[in-house]
Amino acid sequence: MAFLDQSYLLPDGVAREIYESIQGLPILDAHNHCDVKALSEDRKFENFWEAEAATDHYVWECLRKCGVDEALLTGKEASDKEKFLAFAANFELVAGNPTYEWIHLDLKRRLGIDLEINAENAEAIWSQCEAKFAQDDMSQQNLIKAMNVEAMCSTDDPADTLEYHQALQNSQLKNTVFPTFRPDKAMNIGKPEWNAYIDSLGKRWNTSIETIDQLFDVLGQAHAFFASLGCRASDHGVNVPYAQQFPKGIAEKVFAKARAGEKVDYTDRVIFMSYFLNEVAELDAQRGWVFQLHIGAVRDVRTSLYETLGPDVGGDLCDHNTDILTPILPLLNRFDNRLKVVLYNMNPIHNATLAQLTRVFGNKVSLGLAWWLNDSYIGMKRQLEYAASVDLLSNMAGMVSDSRKILSYGSRHEVFRRTLSNVLSGMVGLGQMSKATALKLARRLAYDRPKELFGF
Amino acid sequence: MAFLDQSYLLPDGVAREIYESIQGLPILDAHNHCDVKALSEDRKFENFWEAEAATDHYVWECLRKCGVDEALLTGKEASDKEKFLAFAANFELVAGNPTYEWIHLDLKRRLGIDLEINAENAEAIWSQCEAKFAQDDMSQQNLIKAMNVEAMCSTDDPADTLEYHQALQNSQLKNTVFPTFRPDKAMNIGKPEWNAYIDSLGKRWNTSIETIDQLFDVLGQAHAFFASLGCRASDHGVNVPYAQQFPKGIAEKVFAKARAGEKVDYTDRVIFMSYFLNEVAELDAQRGWVFQLHIGAVRDVRTSLYETLGPDVGGDLCDHNTDILTPILPLLNRFDNRLKVVLYNMNPIHNATLAQLTRVFGNKVSLGLAWWLNDSYIGMKRQLEYAASVDLLSNMAGMVSDSRKILSYGSRHEVFRRTLSNVLSGMVGLGQMSKATALKLARRLAYDRPKELFGF
Amino acid sequence: MAFLDQSYLLPDGVAREIYESIQGLPILDAHNHCDVKALSEDRKFENFWEAEAATDHYVWECLRKCGVDEALLTGKEASDKEKFLAFAANFELVAGNPTYEWIHLDLKRRLGIDLEINAENAEAIWSQCEAKFAQDDMSQQNLIKAMNVEAMCSTDDPADTLEYHQALQNSQLKNTVFPTFRPDKAMNIGKPEWNAYIDSLGKRWNTSIETIDQLFDVLGQAHAFFASLGCRASDHGVNVPYAQQFPKGIAEKVFAKARAGEKVDYTDRVIFMSYFLNEVAELDAQRGWVFQLHIGAVRDVRTSLYETLGPDVGGDLCDHNTDILTPILPLLNRFDNRLKVVLYNMNPIHNATLAQLTRVFGNKVSLGLAWWLNDSYIGMKRQLEYAASVDLLSNMAGMVSDSRKILSYGSRHEVFRRTLSNVLSGMVGLGQMSKATALKLARRLAYDRPKELFGF
């Protein structure tokens, strides 16, 4: 077997047969970080670095581990080509990490370049990519088409005017790209930038937000506006998923204190966040949306990165001790049987707690695929095998790329579909289910289930 | 390889050879939730639903995840056949979950019906089962005989009069079914029903319980009575295993407070539970019993289920953060070398802590097999592989079915024995032990070790 | 495949090819518990028990689990032969545990005795070992040579005079054996023996230590002295890695209180330990040493062992709840990009947190190999597979034997190299990297990486 060939991640004939049955299905990608503006402009990438690395902190993290200087990663001085050459010279040291596979898959499947990335091949890859990216079929919208993306959801702020989503309705991607309602900035009452954000959110909706009722009036308007553009889910990034039941009066006081510029403490934040998540869940329940929680990210722990580059640059991780069960139970019970919920975890240690939680709460509460640093072959395989044994595979939410790179959607879903085929063929091989049943489950997780859950 | 055929869970010839060497050994099942009354009456099941699903919340949980209405699971109105048809129509969605395998195994091995459960086969399975269950060899006692159960332990309250255990001594199951001493209701001092339970426990023993000494007098009598019927173990279901050393005086005050109907707080419960477990451990040590702790179940978290159906209906799960080490060390040290202990955990995350704990405390403290949502093929395989590397396989306690369904004992032990053969063949295949040694270990864990530990 | 033959842990041809490419590389063993005095004296072992079990609490723990009496493990009365016979009679019960494999490997590879250890073979093994150990090529230094150890680091106290390290500079092991700076006794301010230790540390350096400045003066002198003998790393054994930033004044007060014989509480210990680790990290950073943290050992939990035999006899384990992230972040941020750090964890549950932490902190912070009860085939395999998917394999620190037994270094490194070959061949087999890349990574982890990191 050779690197990334047709048998990639498929150890036997049954695995290959399962994969062949699902590889052609359209992609449904219910959560990613698409640059919708760039997509709506349908512009092309100029080179490999811009397409693959300029916006991807996974690449920066891996190259930092190889000792590549920050100037050649996020620096403003170095050219894309200089950065690419440093990348290529070091990339073999990244082998074993999924970033190594994803990028080679992009190169092979999307760009048709079958070379291993290293110093020797660097110039050839650079120039072949430049030529390839200049082709018309490599515009961003054409890439989405070529990857057979039937539906995808970006991640958007309630203050967003969504004009690029509107523009896409007049493009070849009509009815393909939907926003997701992600009001984290409004929820994160402890952050220094919160007050300014609330101001700007008010302005966006031509009002001022002085009370908690006004906040949820505005969020309700935004929710309706998002719905008009096909939004079908909210999404919330949390470390501990505080979602307890507090009376509005208590949350109101915290809100007033924060708006007055007073310091809010940890308890205040727990109160406000809990109230906030419950209110958004109520909106979602009324509209039949999916309420997604991304649980367990501890952000910006590396001060040197945060101070020079800001958030989302590789300073995030997760902790094993994160409390999940106690804080989230009140919300799950309050909305029991009337809200679709998907729970994603970042630390594989929490696979058991989450799979058992989604098992207990029945049909409407689903386990999301292994998230972030967990969505490698090994991370997904271990999660799928375990989740199948506790919860039901058939009730899981399906794959989301979570990617910031358009070029990567196809590769991410390919790795998932191959991993799923691998896991199911393992079960067939051990006599745990028939091949016919495995084929049905494969199709369900790859396509039918996200279609049903998100209403694509 | 086909679904559940002879090679089920056995990937190679060595695995099959190991399994063949142990598949005929009698079953020793030191922990289950047998309905002893029904068994003593030796009655037959009427149909598939009654035998397989009417008492099994695992089935309900799986079908809830498929969207089956509660009326067709636990409802009083729907007939068994209606429930069965809903079950059959949805069961393929359960594939990957051990419940799918266990029930198909029961069907195939016990009932001789080699059909996959689905809508198409539903009527055939229903009628074939009805016919089969009507046969004399399908009475409950005959099933136990057919499954080659040499010894089994039910789970019983100290207030129980055990008349059905006595009745079984005059049946073909003489010296086969033993009670287990499970005084959880007396331990759970925080629960609303505790005082009424203590009253009834007193009445059962023709006395009243007003002091902590009286409580342990009664429990001591019950302990002796259980012993007279072959009991050889106590069992305790705990979330956090509080077993610290508190002076009797302090526990006495908590007890008095609770008996006076006053509210006890968390600390009170920790004190009483700690004292309680130590006292029962003392009784067990004196009588040479096995002290079993089932650790880490968080119960009744789904309010809608608990309020309509009560406990043990599918509202239970486990948490990763559960504290185990600090609370349990005092008891293990106090009874070091003079009490047989078996520790079971529900969350695979705790496999390491528990295996290291049983390693440290020597010969008398044993690791129990992966418990509850953890006793699938994948759960047991991962535990056995890891526990072997830290503790000794040869000191583990062996398999228990933990089942509420008689029909399932054979299937549960079959899955364990196949998984064990799979794990050992893996070690032989990698050259970690000789096949001769693996064959000895297989026999030991499947039969000799529980026989020795529980004194069957 | 037969027990421990050439294919041991190598499931296919690619695994064997990878292993063959690295099996001959010299051993670099950056952390062990070598008895340097014994090594400098170059004396021979007398018998199997002395060489394999007399100093190895792993063996005692395993045999305790088999029910062997303490008198035949650590007793002063029984002869080595009597102990060996008890060991041999029970050792097959240890199969599945890595101790079983390590000791058989020593027997086979070092002593050329190809017998399974059991009652039947006991006399033969005993006498063949006696004869073998009497040979000149079995002296301790010759064993180190025979195992192709190029560099190894023992574990040493700052009060140590290191005369045996000096002596080794005039032996055939010149430039082979280096000390490691392990000041745990000075750090553990809460322990009853701390004050006496500080006295003796002062005496060793011909001074008295009455202030915290004097303590770090002395430690600074010791650090320089260790450097003169080739030391290149400090090492710290901690449960929770407290390394927060406290002002010197606060730590000074705790120090003064403890020196005055007053009781220090938990907070005091956190303050002092945090200050201490930061100060040593500063010394290490200035000298370009590697700062190693062994995280998560809870020591001496079994009272009966500790009271009769003291520490390091088998009473240690780890906990899943151990807090790691919050306490260690301040140190990692303070020394970001200017201190080489290696983090080792004992509980596999912490693999994810640690791999993500080392990913975030870039090139100078490396993940150590699975430690202590985690460094079995299964423990290392699971860690390597997961760590590769989060961090980079190429940045890991490489194998350390952590062994107290000279005879075992070769076997420990053999098991690692085979496991590494197994993991990499798995990735090649699934098409995740080319064989050429896997061969380079194998060499890097087995030799080049520790050489570069520790500057051997």
PDB file of all heavy atoms in Angstrom, chain C residues 24 29 54 60 64 95 107 115 122 164 197 208 234 266 279 291 320 346 355 382 402 409 423 438 446:
ATOM      1  N   GLY C  24      20.065  -1.818  15.834  1.00  0.00           N
ATOM      2  CA  GLY C  24      21.486  -1.736  16.137  1.00  0.00           C
ATOM      3  C   GLY C  24      21.967  -0.371  16.605  1.00  0.00           C
ATOM      4  O   GLY C  24      23.136  -0.220  16.962  1.00  0.00           O
ATOM      5  N   ASP C  29      19.920   6.845  27.028  1.00  0.00           N
ATOM      6  CA  ASP C  29      18.924   6.614  28.080  1.00  0.00           C
ATOM      7  C   ASP C  29      18.949   7.782  29.060  1.00  0.00           C
ATOM      8  O   ASP C  29      19.654   7.753  30.072  1.00  0.00           O
ATOM      9  CB  ASP C  29      19.239   5.289  28.789  1.00  0.00           C
ATOM     10  CG  ASP C  29      18.115   4.886  29.729  1.00  0.00           C
ATOM     11  OD1 ASP C  29      16.950   5.212  29.422  1.00  0.00           O
ATOM     12  OD2 ASP C  29      18.406   4.268  30.765  1.00  0.00           O
ATOM     13  N   ALA C  54      15.937  -8.214  43.293  1.00  0.00           N
ATOM     14  CA  ALA C  54      16.257  -7.702  44.631  1.00  0.00           C
ATOM     15  C   ALA C  54      16.012  -6.201  44.756  1.00  0.00           C
ATOM     16  O   ALA C  54      15.715  -5.712  45.854  1.00  0.00           O
ATOM     17  CB  ALA C  54      17.701  -8.043  44.993  1.00  0.00           C
ATOM     18  N   TRP C  60       8.171  -7.293  42.914  1.00  0.00           N
ATOM     19  CA  TRP C  60       7.477  -7.542  44.184  1.00  0.00           C
ATOM     20  C   TRP C  60       5.974  -7.335  44.034  1.00  0.00           C
ATOM     21  O   TRP C  60       5.181  -8.132  44.539  1.00  0.00           O
ATOM     22  CB  TRP C  60       7.997  -6.600  45.286  1.00  0.00           C
ATOM     23  CG  TRP C  60       9.483  -6.562  45.414  1.00  0.00           C
ATOM     24  CD1 TRP C  60      10.386  -7.505  44.961  1.00  0.00           C
ATOM     25  CD2 TRP C  60      10.258  -5.528  46.009  1.00  0.00           C
ATOM     26  NE1 TRP C  60      11.662  -7.103  45.251  1.00  0.00           N
ATOM     27  CE2 TRP C  60      11.625  -5.901  45.901  1.00  0.00           C
ATOM     28  CE3 TRP C  60       9.965  -4.315  46.653  1.00  0.00           C
ATOM     29  CZ2 TRP C  60      12.662  -5.108  46.380  1.00  0.00           C
ATOM     30  CZ3 TRP C  60      10.989  -3.531  47.138  1.00  0.00           C
ATOM     31  CH2 TRP C  60      12.321  -3.925  47.004  1.00  0.00           C
ATOM     32  N   ARG C  64       3.257 -10.113  44.769  1.00  0.00           N
ATOM     33  CA  ARG C  64       2.238  -9.899  45.806  1.00  0.00           C
ATOM     34  C   ARG C  64       0.855 -10.203  45.239  1.00  0.00           C
ATOM     35  O   ARG C  64       0.018 -10.783  45.919  1.00  0.00           O
ATOM     36  CB  ARG C  64       2.267  -8.436  46.287  1.00  0.00           C
ATOM     37  CG  ARG C  64       3.355  -8.122  47.270  1.00  0.00           C
ATOM     38  CD  ARG C  64       3.333  -6.637  47.668  1.00  0.00           C
ATOM     39  NE  ARG C  64       4.620  -6.281  48.260  1.00  0.00           N
ATOM     40  CZ  ARG C  64       5.353  -5.235  47.894  1.00  0.00           C
ATOM     41  NH1 ARG C  64       4.901  -4.402  46.959  1.00  0.00           N
ATOM     42  NH2 ARG C  64       6.515  -5.013  48.467  1.00  0.00           N
ATOM     43  N   ALA C  95       1.933 -13.314  33.283  1.00  0.00           N
ATOM     44  CA  ALA C  95       1.866 -13.140  31.824  1.00  0.00           C
ATOM     45  C   ALA C  95       0.814 -12.105  31.442  1.00  0.00           C
ATOM     46  O   ALA C  95      -0.282 -12.078  32.009  1.00  0.00           O
ATOM     47  CB  ALA C  95       1.557 -14.475  31.148  1.00  0.00           C
ATOM     48  N   LEU C 107      16.594 -12.489  30.189  1.00  0.00           N
ATOM     49  CA  LEU C 107      17.072 -13.869  30.246  1.00  0.00           C
ATOM     50  C   LEU C 107      17.538 -14.336  28.860  1.00  0.00           C
ATOM     51  O   LEU C 107      18.598 -14.974  28.726  1.00  0.00           O
ATOM     52  CB  LEU C 107      15.915 -14.749  30.731  1.00  0.00           C
ATOM     53  CG  LEU C 107      16.244 -16.113  31.323  1.00  0.00           C
ATOM     54  CD1 LEU C 107      17.046 -15.958  32.617  1.00  0.00           C
ATOM     55  CD2 LEU C 107      14.955 -16.896  31.624  1.00  0.00           C
ATOM     56  N   LEU C 115      14.492 -20.251  28.085  1.00  0.00           N
ATOM     57  CA  LEU C 115      13.523 -21.072  28.822  1.00  0.00           C
ATOM     58  C   LEU C 115      12.431 -20.185  29.388  1.00  0.00           C
ATOM     59  O   LEU C 115      12.699 -19.068  29.819  1.00  0.00           O
ATOM     60  CB  LEU C 115      14.231 -21.778  29.991  1.00  0.00           C
ATOM     61  CG  LEU C 115      15.239 -22.873  29.629  1.00  0.00           C
ATOM     62  CD1 LEU C 115      16.001 -23.325  30.876  1.00  0.00           C
ATOM     63  CD2 LEU C 115      14.521 -24.062  28.976  1.00  0.00           C
ATOM     64  N   ALA C 122      12.829 -24.004  36.920  1.00  0.00           N
ATOM     65  CA  ALA C 122      13.450 -23.116  37.908  1.00  0.00           C
ATOM     66  C   ALA C 122      14.908 -23.486  38.189  1.00  0.00           C
ATOM     67  O   ALA C 122      15.808 -22.640  38.115  1.00  0.00           O
ATOM     68  CB  ALA C 122      12.631 -23.138  39.207  1.00  0.00           C
ATOM     69  N   TYR C 164      31.236   8.612  42.395  1.00  0.00           N
ATOM     70  CA  TYR C 164      31.188   7.419  41.545  1.00  0.00           C
ATOM     71  C   TYR C 164      31.055   7.813  40.070  1.00  0.00           C
ATOM     72  O   TYR C 164      31.528   7.111  39.190  1.00  0.00           O
ATOM     73  CB  TYR C 164      30.066   6.488  41.988  1.00  0.00           C
ATOM     74  CG  TYR C 164      30.220   6.127  43.459  1.00  0.00           C
ATOM     75  CD1 TYR C 164      29.321   6.575  44.416  1.00  0.00           C
ATOM     76  CD2 TYR C 164      31.330   5.396  43.895  1.00  0.00           C
ATOM     77  CE1 TYR C 164      29.480   6.285  45.754  1.00  0.00           C
ATOM     78  CE2 TYR C 164      31.504   5.107  45.242  1.00  0.00           C
ATOM     79  CZ  TYR C 164      30.587   5.557  46.161  1.00  0.00           C
ATOM     80  OH  TYR C 164      30.769   5.279  47.484  1.00  0.00           O
ATOM     81  N   TYR C 197      17.110  17.281  56.001  1.00  0.00           N
ATOM     82  CA  TYR C 197      17.730  17.238  54.679  1.00  0.00           C
ATOM     83  C   TYR C 197      18.407  18.575  54.346  1.00  0.00           C
ATOM     84  O   TYR C 197      19.533  18.607  53.842  1.00  0.00           O
ATOM     85  CB  TYR C 197      16.711  16.878  53.590  1.00  0.00           C
ATOM     86  CG  TYR C 197      17.312  17.062  52.219  1.00  0.00           C
ATOM     87  CD1 TYR C 197      18.199  16.108  51.704  1.00  0.00           C
ATOM     88  CD2 TYR C 197      17.095  18.228  51.482  1.00  0.00           C
ATOM     89  CE1 TYR C 197      18.814  16.295  50.477  1.00  0.00           C
ATOM     90  CE2 TYR C 197      17.707  18.423  50.250  1.00  0.00           C
ATOM     91  CZ  TYR C 197      18.566  17.459  49.757  1.00  0.00           C
ATOM     92  OH  TYR C 197      19.193  17.655  48.565  1.00  0.00           O
ATOM     93  N   SER C 208      25.739  26.802  56.024  1.00  0.00           N
ATOM     94  CA  SER C 208      24.429  26.516  56.609  1.00  0.00           C
ATOM     95  C   SER C 208      23.390  27.289  55.823  1.00  0.00           C
ATOM     96  O   SER C 208      23.661  28.368  55.288  1.00  0.00           O
ATOM     97  CB  SER C 208      24.405  26.893  58.087  1.00  0.00           C
ATOM     98  OG  SER C 208      24.405  28.291  58.203  1.00  0.00           O
ATOM     99  N   SER C 234      17.636  18.636  34.640  1.00  0.00           N
ATOM    100  CA  SER C 234      17.086  18.459  35.982  1.00  0.00           C
ATOM    101  C   SER C 234      15.837  17.612  35.839  1.00  0.00           C
ATOM    102  O   SER C 234      15.298  17.440  34.744  1.00  0.00           O
ATOM    103  CB  SER C 234      16.760  19.798  36.636  1.00  0.00           C
ATOM    104  OG  SER C 234      15.612  20.371  36.048  1.00  0.00           O
ATOM    105  N   TYR C 266      -1.039  23.258  53.169  1.00  0.00           N
ATOM    106  CA  TYR C 266      -1.054  22.927  51.748  1.00  0.00           C
ATOM    107  C   TYR C 266      -0.696  24.134  50.880  1.00  0.00           C
ATOM    108  O   TYR C 266       0.107  24.034  49.949  1.00  0.00           O
ATOM    109  CB  TYR C 266      -2.449  22.389  51.371  1.00  0.00           C
ATOM    110  CG  TYR C 266      -2.464  21.725  50.030  1.00  0.00           C
ATOM    111  CD1 TYR C 266      -1.967  20.433  49.876  1.00  0.00           C
ATOM    112  CD2 TYR C 266      -2.945  22.379  48.907  1.00  0.00           C
ATOM    113  CE1 TYR C 266      -1.962  19.808  48.632  1.00  0.00           C
ATOM    114  CE2 TYR C 266      -2.940  21.763  47.659  1.00  0.00           C
ATOM    115  CZ  TYR C 266      -2.448  20.487  47.529  1.00  0.00           C
ATOM    116  OH  TYR C 266      -2.432  19.879  46.309  1.00  0.00           O
ATOM    117  N   GLU C 279      12.700  28.589  40.104  1.00  0.00           N
ATOM    118  CA  GLU C 279      14.123  28.918  40.299  1.00  0.00           C
ATOM    119  C   GLU C 279      15.027  27.895  39.615  1.00  0.00           C
ATOM    120  O   GLU C 279      16.031  28.253  38.994  1.00  0.00           O
ATOM    121  CB  GLU C 279      14.454  28.986  41.797  1.00  0.00           C
ATOM    122  CG  GLU C 279      13.890  30.204  42.496  1.00  0.00           C
ATOM    123  CD  GLU C 279      14.442  31.514  41.932  1.00  0.00           C
ATOM    124  OE1 GLU C 279      15.668  31.729  42.032  1.00  0.00           O
ATOM    125  OE2 GLU C 279      13.652  32.293  41.359  1.00  0.00           O
ATOM    126  N   PHE C 291      14.620  20.656  31.349  1.00  0.00           N
ATOM    127  CA  PHE C 291      13.833  20.657  32.585  1.00  0.00           C
ATOM    128  C   PHE C 291      12.760  19.580  32.455  1.00  0.00           C
ATOM    129  O   PHE C 291      11.829  19.711  31.665  1.00  0.00           O
ATOM    130  CB  PHE C 291      13.210  22.051  32.744  1.00  0.00           C
ATOM    131  CG  PHE C 291      12.340  22.255  33.951  1.00  0.00           C
ATOM    132  CD1 PHE C 291      12.894  22.587  35.176  1.00  0.00           C
ATOM    133  CD2 PHE C 291      10.947  22.167  33.859  1.00  0.00           C
ATOM    134  CE1 PHE C 291      12.086  22.812  36.299  1.00  0.00           C
ATOM    135  CE2 PHE C 291      10.131  22.386  34.966  1.00  0.00           C
ATOM    136  CZ  PHE C 291      10.709  22.713  36.188  1.00  0.00           C
ATOM    137  N   HIS C 320      -6.839  10.014  38.183  1.00  0.00           N
ATOM    138  CA  HIS C 320      -7.295  10.649  36.937  1.00  0.00           C
ATOM    139  C   HIS C 320      -7.575  12.135  37.109  1.00  0.00           C
ATOM    140  O   HIS C 320      -7.522  12.895  36.172  1.00  0.00           O
ATOM    141  CB  HIS C 320      -8.544   9.945  36.399  1.00  0.00           C
ATOM    142  CG  HIS C 320      -9.606   9.761  37.435  1.00  0.00           C
ATOM    143  ND1 HIS C 320      -9.574   8.754  38.367  1.00  0.00           N
ATOM    144  CD2 HIS C 320     -10.714  10.477  37.708  1.00  0.00           C
ATOM    145  CE1 HIS C 320     -10.621   8.850  39.159  1.00  0.00           C
ATOM    146  NE2 HIS C 320     -11.320   9.882  38.783  1.00  0.00           N
ATOM    147  N   MET C 346       1.953   9.794  33.980  1.00  0.00           N
ATOM    148  CA  MET C 346       1.856   8.411  34.462  1.00  0.00           C
ATOM    149  C   MET C 346       0.492   7.808  34.165  1.00  0.00           C
ATOM    150  O   MET C 346       0.358   6.606  34.028  1.00  0.00           O
ATOM    151  CB  MET C 346       2.098   8.418  35.969  1.00  0.00           C
ATOM    152  CG  MET C 346       2.055   7.082  36.638  1.00  0.00           C
ATOM    153  SD  MET C 346       2.688   7.259  38.319  1.00  0.00           S
ATOM    154  CE  MET C 346       2.258   5.624  38.990  1.00  0.00           C
ATOM    155  N   ALA C 355      -0.258  16.105  25.445  1.00  0.00           N
ATOM    156  CA  ALA C 355       0.127  16.222  24.027  1.00  0.00           C
ATOM    157  C   ALA C 355      -0.357  17.559  23.465  1.00  0.00           C
ATOM    158  O   ALA C 355       0.328  18.182  22.645  1.00  0.00           O
ATOM    159  CB  ALA C 355      -0.455  15.063  23.217  1.00  0.00           C
ATOM    160  N   ARG C 382      -0.588   3.183  22.499  1.00  0.00           N
ATOM    161  CA  ARG C 382      -1.724   4.097  22.535  1.00  0.00           C
ATOM    162  C   ARG C 382      -1.254   5.554  22.630  1.00  0.00           C
ATOM    163  O   ARG C 382      -1.847   6.446  22.033  1.00  0.00           O
ATOM    164  CB  ARG C 382      -2.658   3.757  23.703  1.00  0.00           C
ATOM    165  CG  ARG C 382      -3.411   2.450  23.503  1.00  0.00           C
ATOM    166  CD  ARG C 382      -4.374   2.173  24.659  1.00  0.00           C
ATOM    167  NE  ARG C 382      -5.045   0.891  24.495  1.00  0.00           N
ATOM    168  CZ  ARG C 382      -5.832   0.328  25.423  1.00  0.00           C
ATOM    169  NH1 ARG C 382      -6.033   0.939  26.577  1.00  0.00           N
ATOM    170  NH2 ARG C 382      -6.410  -0.831  25.207  1.00  0.00           N
ATOM    171  N   ASP C 402      13.995   4.479  32.691  1.00  0.00           N
ATOM    172  CA  ASP C 402      13.466   4.713  34.038  1.00  0.00           C
ATOM    173  C   ASP C 402      13.753   3.535  34.956  1.00  0.00           C
ATOM    174  O   ASP C 402      13.110   3.368  35.991  1.00  0.00           O
ATOM    175  CB  ASP C 402      11.945   4.960  33.959  1.00  0.00           C
ATOM    176  CG  ASP C 402      11.393   5.545  35.245  1.00  0.00           C
ATOM    177  OD1 ASP C 402      12.146   6.193  35.983  1.00  0.00           O
ATOM    178  OD2 ASP C 402      10.196   5.327  35.536  1.00  0.00           O
ATOM    179  N   TYR C 409      18.051  -2.278  30.864  1.00  0.00           N
ATOM    180  CA  TYR C 409      18.051  -1.149  29.911  1.00  0.00           C
ATOM    181  C   TYR C 409      17.823  -1.621  28.477  1.00  0.00           C
ATOM    182  O   TYR C 409      17.037  -1.043  27.731  1.00  0.00           O
ATOM    183  CB  TYR C 409      19.373  -0.367  29.962  1.00  0.00           C
ATOM    184  CG  TYR C 409      19.698   0.275  31.276  1.00  0.00           C
ATOM    185  CD1 TYR C 409      20.985   0.738  31.547  1.00  0.00           C
ATOM    186  CD2 TYR C 409      18.739   0.440  32.269  1.00  0.00           C
ATOM    187  CE1 TYR C 409      21.303   1.330  32.745  1.00  0.00           C
ATOM    188  CE2 TYR C 409      19.048   1.033  33.477  1.00  0.00           C
ATOM    189  CZ  TYR C 409      20.343   1.473  33.721  1.00  0.00           C
ATOM    190  OH  TYR C 409      20.657   2.054  34.910  1.00  0.00           O
ATOM    191  N   VAL C 423       3.921   0.849  15.532  1.00  0.00           N
ATOM    192  CA  VAL C 423       3.049   2.014  15.314  1.00  0.00           C
ATOM    193  C   VAL C 423       3.297   2.609  13.935  1.00  0.00           C
ATOM    194  O   VAL C 423       2.356   2.906  13.192  1.00  0.00           O
ATOM    195  CB  VAL C 423       3.284   3.067  16.415  1.00  0.00           C
ATOM    196  CG1 VAL C 423       2.625   4.396  16.062  1.00  0.00           C
ATOM    197  CG2 VAL C 423       2.762   2.550  17.756  1.00  0.00           C
ATOM    198  N   ALA C 438       8.624   6.771   7.291  1.00  0.00           N
ATOM    199  CA  ALA C 438       8.558   6.021   8.545  1.00  0.00           C
ATOM    200  C   ALA C 438       9.949   5.600   9.009  1.00  0.00           C
ATOM    201  O   ALA C 438      10.266   5.647  10.204  1.00  0.00           O
ATOM    202  CB  ALA C 438       7.662   4.796   8.372  1.00  0.00           C
ATOM    203  N   ALA C 446      14.413   6.940  17.890  1.00  0.00           N
ATOM    204  CA  ALA C 446      15.253   5.966  18.590  1.00  0.00           C
ATOM    205  C   ALA C 446      16.629   6.537  18.932  1.00  0.00           C
ATOM    206  O   ALA C 446      17.270   6.081  19.885  1.00  0.00           O
ATOM    207  CB  ALA C 446      15.413   4.709  17.732  1.00  0.00           C
TER     208      ALA C 446
END
